[in-house]
Amino acid sequence: MSGICGIFRLDGPPLQASAVGPMLDALRPFGPDGASWADPSGTVALGAVPTRVTPEDLFHHPPVRSLDGALALVADVRLDNRDELEPALGIPAADARERSDADLVLAAYEAWGDAAVAKLVGDFAFALWDGRRRRLLTARDGIGHRLLYYHATDKRIAFATIPGALLALPDVTARLNEQRIAESLVLMQDPVTTFYAGIERLRPGHTLSIAAEGTRFERYWSPIPERRITLGSDDEYVEAFLEVFDRAVRAQTRSRLPLGVMLSGGLDSPSIAATAALQLRDRGERLRAFHAAPRAGFSGATRPGWIADESSEVAIAASRYDNLDLEIYRPTGGSLLTGLEEVFRYAGLPPRNPSAGDWFDAIYGSAKRQGIGVMLAGHKGNATISYGGVRSLRDLAREGRIGHVVREVRAVARATRQSTWAVLREQILAPLTPRWIAAAQQRLRGPQGAALWSSAYSAISPELARSTGVDRRARESGVVGLEAARAGELEYRAMALTAAADAPDLDNAARAQFGIETRSPACDLRVVNYCLAIPGSQYLRNGVSRWLIRRAMRDRLPSEVVDRTTRGAQGADWAEWMVEMRDEFRTDLSRFEREESVRRCLDLPRMRSLVEQWPERLGPAEEMAYHHLLLRGVTMGRFILWFERTHGSGAG
């Protein structure tokens, strides 16, 4: 993992390598050694601060150059398909051991040109100057685990791994993007815009080419499969899954530093932990597992079907492997928002789930002290390896497979203790209702249905909601309303894989803050391509959801985990620790009420009433108002004040 940056000159004097110096200084959290380069014409200057995590990273000396000097590359990259690329590029195994992943990216470009990007599997963001074509090519991996921000003026286009590096340039002024604040407060996550006006992100799965003639964005990968996979039996689907999944885990355990894994009581992370432990045991290595549990003695209520404390299931899963060491973190009290400013600094945004900050910081801090350099996680596994399958029923209904649909609807109803009619209405009839009828029904409930800003989860001020038009934008984008409800199985899963645009920013912040790289085998493109290409019937059978991963992990995980039907409630003890922060919230609101910028963005009277009319006891019924609206509102207010204190009070 590395921090990278660069500038492409559109006008003005030739660039020197020193032009990226301020950005390199801002990238120092990624490593102590920076390097810069400028092409002889002064059109491009590139810089990189490498962090050496894999064995091959020891041979990474940026920028990487072609033999003739015409190509120069800076890359934040980890390739997971080296075993495919090396023979395809004609690189002998003995030579490959001393070639970094960035070396392979350059070799792939020399062999295949722009088509090389689609052949790369792993996490990457890179910029490649092609002096032969006088063009800069930038790219970001399909899921978007690595980041690339850019800022354009009429004289130059600059890019970097973090917004703070762009802000280090003398011609970039930090201005708060209130449109982005509004969208964040109603839970929209735009893959392009940021909280800094004028600074944008390259979309996942896209390239951006920059030349004197102009810029061009191109999409090179989509989660929607080009073809469906049909095998001969249920067992063959499991065997094929295990082949691709084991390969992904093996590739993502490549590290010269100790490995850790975030472990819950569900199916995603335990499947990854078990598979990694098996593979590491064969190599004589250990795996450190970390689990976040509620505070000791917690006995609060959760939603029906959810479990507050999964530590017993986690311990059972971990005990199966003698090389898997489990560490359970339980909060001990005090404010859980003390580390927010570190997140603001490194991620450049307020976290969507601020209550996770305490255990996240504690776990990553412990991992750092133990020298761990890689943390495995089950991010987005619900869309791939542990997809539930219920949404596939609407596609089967469209195909006319009514008998199969009816049988599964009845089985799902029994398994979830719902009525058959409720499952049929929610999963089949409502999504398949003709669009004009659904739109008419919605109009009868109001021109746009209930306004997002008036809901129980948003602290946005009505003034900001109206001036930014977030209701209209959210509904048009399909985030809420008809389009989200009507989305087919593949469209919905693709959205789940790519919609959480801010999540990589938090993982990126952890790289800078703790020096730990987060990896998600469930998002390996080969896993994604397989899991989205097989029939939905492999995920739902006789009312059993997540059927594929349950069968695949039968020999690797205990039955208490494999057959579990309940879900873990992350941060279930929020109602207890939030009570202890009531006075802290009062202090926050008093500060907010004195600042016009915060008053313009947040519904402070509504937030104040929640604090002053605090219920005698908080529970699931108050979760939307207190755990979501109030806590997210306070987090956003703190971010606005931090932004103004750090950068000045500009708004855009």
Side-chain angles (χ1 to χ4, degrees):
M1 59 183 185
S2 302
I4 64 172
C5 60
I7 302 173
F8 184 97
R9 176 177 60 88
L10 299 171
D11 192 14
L15 292 169
Q16 303 295 323
S18 59
V20 298
M23 291 196 286
L24 286 176
D25 290 339
L27 291 170
R28 293 300 176 192
F30 290 93
D33 304 318
S36 59
W37 170 89
D39 79 297
S41 71
T43 303
V44 168
L46 302 176
V49 178
T51 305
R52 296 179 170 90
V53 179
T54 68
E56 294 81 6
D57 283 343
L58 294 174
F59 302 97
H60 179 43
H61 304 289
V64 178
R65 304 285 303 283
S66 60
L67 290 176
D68 64 359
L71 306 178
L73 170 78
V74 289
D76 177 17
V77 57
R78 187 200 71 253
L79 293 178
D80 294 332
N81 65 332
R82 288 180 61 107
D83 58 340
E84 296 174 343
L85 292 172
E86 290 162 4
L89 293 169
I91 300 174
D95 293 343
R97 286 195 294 269
E98 297 185 0
R99 293 202 183 201
S100 70
D101 290 350
D103 291 328
L104 291 190
V105 172
L106 185 67
Y109 179 81
E110 289 199 272
W112 303 308
D114 290 6
V117 183
K119 299 179 185 292
L120 306 178
V121 175
D123 300 346
F124 60 83
F126 67 78
L128 191 154
W129 168 246
D130 187 339
R132 303 160 190 160
R133 302 173 62 180
R134 312 302 301 168
R135 184 196 67 163
L136 183 70
L137 176 69
T138 67
R140 191 175 170 204
D141 66 78
I143 300 298
H145 286 124
R146 299 295 168 92
L147 295 162
L148 200 64
Y149 297 89
Y150 60 92
H151 180 275
T153 70
D154 57 352
K155 294 184 179 297
R156 58 102 187 109
I157 297 176
F159 63 87
T161 301
I162 57 175
L166 293 170
L167 293 169
L169 293 173
D171 60 346
V172 179
T173 301
R175 293 181 297 116
L176 194 58
N177 184 352
E178 289 191 355
Q179 180 71 46
R180 187 70 189 86
I181 289 175
E183 293 173 358
S184 177
L185 286 168
V186 298
L187 304 188
M188 288 182 66
Q189 295 196 63
D190 191 308
V192 174
T193 61
T194 72
F195 287 87
Y196 295 85
I199 295 179
E200 297 187 335
R201 290 180 286 207
L202 179 61
R203 288 178 180 269
H206 281 70
T207 62
L208 165 61
S209 58
I210 308 169
E213 299 79 30
T215 60
R216 184 177 66 183
F217 294 91
E218 287 192 1
R219 184 171 195 168
Y220 69 86
W221 182 81
S222 168
I224 304 297
E226 295 181 356
R227 62 181 182 86
R228 301 307 296 264
I229 295 175
T230 303
L231 301 178
S233 69
D234 291 335
D235 288 343
E236 288 182 49
Y237 284 105
V238 172
E239 292 169 5
F241 168 77
L242 285 173
E243 180 180 352
V244 70
F245 180 64
D246 289 354
R247 188 178 182 188
V249 174
R250 184 174 296 106
Q252 296 203 20
T253 56
R254 180 171 60 103
S255 174
R256 53 182 289 270
L257 303 173
L259 293 153
V261 60
M262 298 288 283
L263 188 57
S264 74
L267 280 169
D268 298 322
S269 59
S271 298
I272 292 167
T275 303
L278 281 171
Q279 295 176 359
L280 293 174
R281 186 166 62 189
D282 293 340
R283 289 153 40 183
E285 299 178 27
R286 305 194 69 78
L287 179 64
R288 188 73 172 176
F290 299 89
H291 174 68
R295 60 173 60 187
F298 171 73
S299 59
T302 60
R303 286 174 285 172
W306 292 66
I307 292 179
D309 191 340
E310 301 177 287
S311 57
S312 59
E313 289 87 352
V314 168
I316 292 171
S319 66
R320 175 165 289 201
Y321 299 94
D322 56 10
N323 65 328
L324 186 58
D325 304 310
L326 176 62
E327 179 178 313
I328 297 177
Y329 168 75
R330 294 184 184 275
T332 56
S335 174
L336 299 189
L337 301 182
T338 54
L340 273 181
E341 292 206 356
E342 288 294 287
V343 178
F344 299 160
R345 174 189 171 195
Y346 288 111
L349 52 78
R352 183 179 181 182
N353 184 15
S355 63
D358 175 74
W359 62 258
F360 184 91
D361 288 352
I363 285 175
Y364 270 70
S366 176
K368 179 181 180 179
R369 290 190 294 273
Q370 297 176 56
I372 288 171
V374 171
M375 186 74 77
L376 302 175
H379 296 339
K380 303 183 181 181
N382 288 344
T384 58
I385 64 175
S386 67
Y387 172 59
V390 175
R391 189 174 283 258
S392 66
L393 295 179
R394 64 189 62 177
D395 291 343
L396 294 176
R398 290 188 180 101
E399 296 168 7
R401 299 176 60 183
I402 304 303
H404 180 94
V405 170
V406 170
R407 287 193 299 272
E408 284 297 345
V409 165
R410 289 173 175 167
V412 169
R414 289 193 298 270
T416 58
R417 298 180 181 180
Q418 300 180 74
S419 70
T420 300
W421 169 247
V423 176
L424 184 65
R425 182 184 64 241
E426 180 181 351
Q427 297 297 336
I428 310 296
L429 298 181
L432 297 185
T433 300
R435 191 179 304 273
W436 67 271
I437 294 178
Q441 291 173 336
Q442 191 176 63
R443 283 195 296 272
L444 290 175
R445 294 190 293 268
Q448 290 291 334
L452 292 175
W453 55 265
S454 67
S455 69
Y457 66 72
S458 180
I460 191 172
S461 73
E463 175 190 352
L464 185 65
R466 285 189 290 266
S467 65
T468 56
V470 290
D471 274 83
R472 175 184 53 79
R473 290 171 61 87
R475 297 178 197 282
E476 289 177 352
S477 69
V479 174
V480 298
L482 289 179
E483 297 309 313
R486 294 170 57 86
E489 177 190 27
L490 291 179
E491 291 77 11
Y492 178 81
R493 294 169 72 185
M495 182 174 65
L497 282 166
T498 59
D502 291 347
D505 297 73
L506 299 175
D507 287 340
N508 202 44
R511 289 202 296 154
Q513 184 177 356
F514 300 101
I516 296 175
E517 176 183 330
T518 304
R519 301 178 181 176
S520 306
C523 293
D524 180 290
L525 292 194
R526 295 163 297 192
V527 172
V528 173
N529 291 338
Y530 176 80
C531 288
L532 269 68
I534 65 176
S537 59
Q538 289 301 311
Y539 297 100
L540 178 69
R541 185 70 60 86
N542 298 325
V544 177
S545 64
R546 302 189 287 177
W547 193 50
L548 177 70
I549 195 70
R550 295 183 196 276
R551 290 175 290 150
M553 292 296 120
R554 182 65 61 184
D555 295 331
R556 299 185 186 180
L557 292 172
S559 59
E560 290 90 340
V561 175
V562 172
D563 297 325
R564 179 180 165 188
T565 58
T566 53
R567 299 181 63 182
Q570 188 182 85
D573 53 354
W574 68 271
E576 291 190 1
W577 59 255
M578 251 189 115
V579 172
E580 300 169 7
M581 297 176 62
R582 186 177 180 184
D583 288 340
E584 185 177 342
F585 291 152
R586 281 197 179 102
T587 301
D588 280 321
L589 288 171
S590 295
R591 293 166 56 210
F592 298 164
E593 288 162 350
R594 293 193 297 268
E595 301 294 334
E596 192 274 334
S597 57
V598 184
R599 294 198 305 270
R600 187 169 61 248
C601 294
L602 298 179
D603 191 344
L604 295 180
R606 190 178 184 190
M607 294 170 62
R608 172 68 73 177
S609 69
L610 289 174
V611 172
E612 300 305 331
Q613 298 172 23
W614 204 279
E616 182 177 343
R617 183 176 179 84
L618 293 174
E622 292 77 33
E623 184 172 9
M624 295 301 288
Y626 283 84
H627 192 204
H628 297 309
L629 187 155
L630 180 60
L631 190 59
R632 286 174 178 151
V634 167
T635 300
M636 183 62 76
R638 290 192 185 187
F639 175 77
I640 294 171
L641 294 184
W642 169 87
F643 188 102
E644 294 181 344
R645 185 175 68 252
T646 305
H647 303 298
S649 57

